[in-house]
Amino acid sequence: MAFSKQARRTKIKKRIRKDITGTQSRPRLAVFRSNKEIYAQIVDDVEGTTLVAASSRDKDVTASDSNKLEKAALVGKALAEKALKAGIDSISFDRGGYLYHGRVKSLADGAREGGLKF
């Protein structure tokens, strides 16, 4: 029997998180994608804290009149700006069980353009 979308994503997410963890020197960029919005946060898994977060619901991103793909790129750039201000320049990318294309890829490219190193 085939997995549901949610069960499939959970299975992939567990497999990814076995290898990718966030430390103080190289935190993890976690992505969550809903049908309408996209959220990203940089997490230190050792301390269990969120260091920086950005989403498509932020005022600077919401003000732009663009499609979901362009908003994801803006979220990536906004997250990179906040991360650089916080002294974070190198991260591990956690796609959260989503396929690396579309909005997830756009967010990653925006973060790279903003100055983060993966």
Side-chain angles (χ1 to χ4, degrees), residues 49 75 83 106:
T49 58
V75 169
S106 179

Side-chain angles (χ1 to χ4, degrees), residues 102-117:
R103 289 189 282 159
V104 176
K105 184 174 189 283
S106 179
L107 186 138
D109 291 340
R112 281 193 187 100
E113 282 180 29
L116 290 179
K117 296 181 193 96

Side-chain angles (χ1 to χ4, degrees), residues 84-103:
L84 293 175
K85 285 181 184 175
I88 301 166
D89 62 346
S90 178
I91 58 159
S92 299
F93 188 71
D94 176 11
R95 59 189 172 92
Y98 302 110
L99 296 177
Y100 186 79
H101 73 92
R103 289 189 282 159

Side-chain angles (χ1 to χ4, degrees), residues 29-42 53-58 72 75 79 94 98 103 107:
L29 186 144
V31 176
F32 176 73
R33 176 177 62 87
S34 72
N35 285 339
K36 292 185 179 181
E37 311 289 346
I38 190 160
Y39 306 86
Q41 58 184 353
I42 297 180
S55 76
S56 57
R57 298 186 65 156
D58 293 345
V75 169
L79 186 75
D94 176 11
Y98 302 110
R103 289 189 282 159
L107 186 138

